[in-house]
Amino acid sequence: MKRTLVTLCMALFLGAGLQISAVAQDGWISLFNGKNFDGWKIGANASSFTIVDGNIQVAGPRAHLFYDGPVKNHMFKNFEFKATVMTKPGANSGIFIHTAYQEDGWPSQGYEVQVNQSHTDYKRTGSLYNVVDVKETYVKDNEWYTEYIKVEGKHITIKINDKVVVDYEESDVDKREGDMKNKFLKAGTFALQAHDPKSVVLYKDIMVRPLTE
């Protein structure tokens, strides 16, 4: 009986080890546990973010949810990022990259990757906001889709459901004006945006795969 129990435990251990190994080889790391905001930090208007059925629900006045967890000490330079997203009609949100925590206001660092199928803002999902603006709508409200971002060196690639919508090489920083003057690739964390009380967006399966720097 004892030998059988030991054998069973070893089998379970080895099986778990194989699974962990496969995940490690794949390289994707989850940033959201589906239960709470461990590893994330919210400033003003924190109630704009809640967890509903294992998803992050964005609904409320302007706020930003910053990744503040242990992966790469929340400091990413070269990476692949992806999230599964659903927008409700009229919603506007965004995914910030190479940004930094701030208590309030629109993030002053990094780029925003747009989330918007039907808001009055014409810059649609996948836009590298105010840099490469996508006017086409590739997905519908009330449907889950994948938003993918890759940063390697000075190159940014954005995909919506595996379709490339932005392929951008950063080379024009010195020509920028106004708020965009200080928004460029450097290093930083990720943030999700609550845009306004009428914008409802859901996020899940938030993953990152760090690349060689």
Side-chain angles (χ1 to χ4, degrees), residues 13-25:
F13 176 79
L14 291 172
L18 289 172
Q19 184 176 9
I20 291 169
S21 176
V23 171
Q25 288 178 6

Side-chain angles (χ1 to χ4, degrees), residues 40-83:
W40 294 80
K41 188 175 182 180
I42 317 172
N45 299 321
S47 62
S48 293
F49 296 94
T50 56
I51 296 175
V52 178
D53 296 330
N55 310 308
I56 295 175
Q57 178 173 279
V58 182
R62 182 188 67 195
H64 293 86
L65 175 66
F66 295 83
Y67 178 68
D68 193 52
V71 179
K72 298 288 288 184
N73 197 27
H74 53 273
M75 186 60 61
F76 303 90
K77 186 174 182 181
N78 295 325
F79 59 83
E80 293 176 276
F81 172 98
K82 62 182 178 180

Side-chain angles (χ1 to χ4, degrees), residues 9-212:
C9 289
M10 286 298 295
L12 290 172
F13 176 79
L14 291 172
L18 289 172
Q19 184 176 9
I20 291 169
S21 176
V23 171
Q25 288 178 6
D26 185 54
W28 287 100
I29 305 167
S30 176
L31 300 181
F32 172 56
N33 63 21
K35 300 176 182 178
N36 53 48
F37 290 120
D38 284 356
W40 294 80
K41 188 175 182 180
I42 317 172
N45 299 321
S47 62
S48 293
F49 296 94
T50 56
I51 296 175
V52 178
D53 296 330
N55 310 308
I56 295 175
Q57 178 173 279
V58 182
R62 182 188 67 195
H64 293 86
L65 175 66
F66 295 83
Y67 178 68
D68 193 52
V71 179
K72 298 288 288 184
N73 197 27
H74 53 273
M75 186 60 61
F76 303 90
K77 186 174 182 181
N78 295 325
F79 59 83
E80 293 176 276
F81 172 98
K82 62 182 178 180
T84 304
V85 188
M86 180 191 292
T87 56
K88 297 298 182 178
N92 190 334
S93 182
I95 302 167
F96 284 82
I97 61 172
H98 280 213
T99 193
Y101 174 80
Q102 62 186 63
E103 184 68 19
D104 201 0
W106 306 105
S108 61
Q109 297 183 38
Y111 287 103
E112 178 187 356
V113 179
Q114 179 75 307
V115 174
N116 163 26
Q117 328 308 336
S118 59
H119 188 267
T120 53
D121 188 342
Y122 72 89
K123 299 167 186 176
R124 298 306 189 196
T125 287
S127 294
L128 190 63
Y129 204 83
N130 281 340
V131 179
V132 182
D133 292 323
V134 176
K135 298 180 181 180
E136 295 81 5
T137 302
Y138 291 97
V139 292
K140 297 179 181 179
D141 289 321
N142 295 316
E143 292 183 1
W144 289 108
Y145 72 93
T146 300
E147 192 146 357
Y148 166 97
I149 307 161
K150 181 179 181 181
V151 173
E152 195 162 25
K154 294 295 183 180
H155 201 90
I156 302 174
T157 305
I158 301 171
K159 298 180 183 180
I160 304 301
N161 285 343
D162 294 325
K163 180 178 178 62
V164 175
V165 298
V166 169
D167 190 14
Y168 170 73
E169 185 77 19
E170 185 184 72
S171 60
D172 56 353
V173 174
D174 58 334
K175 299 177 183 177
R176 295 188 189 162
E177 299 178 349
D179 292 342
M180 294 303 297
K181 191 172 183 179
N182 296 316
K183 295 183 178 181
F184 52 86
L185 292 174
K186 187 177 180 181
T189 191
F190 306 106
L192 305 180
Q193 179 191 79
H195 187 273
D196 62 81
K198 295 181 180 179
S199 291
V200 179
V201 180
L202 299 171
Y203 291 91
K204 65 179 180 178
D205 303 330
I206 302 171
M207 311 283 286
V208 67
R209 179 156 60 184
L211 302 175
T212 304

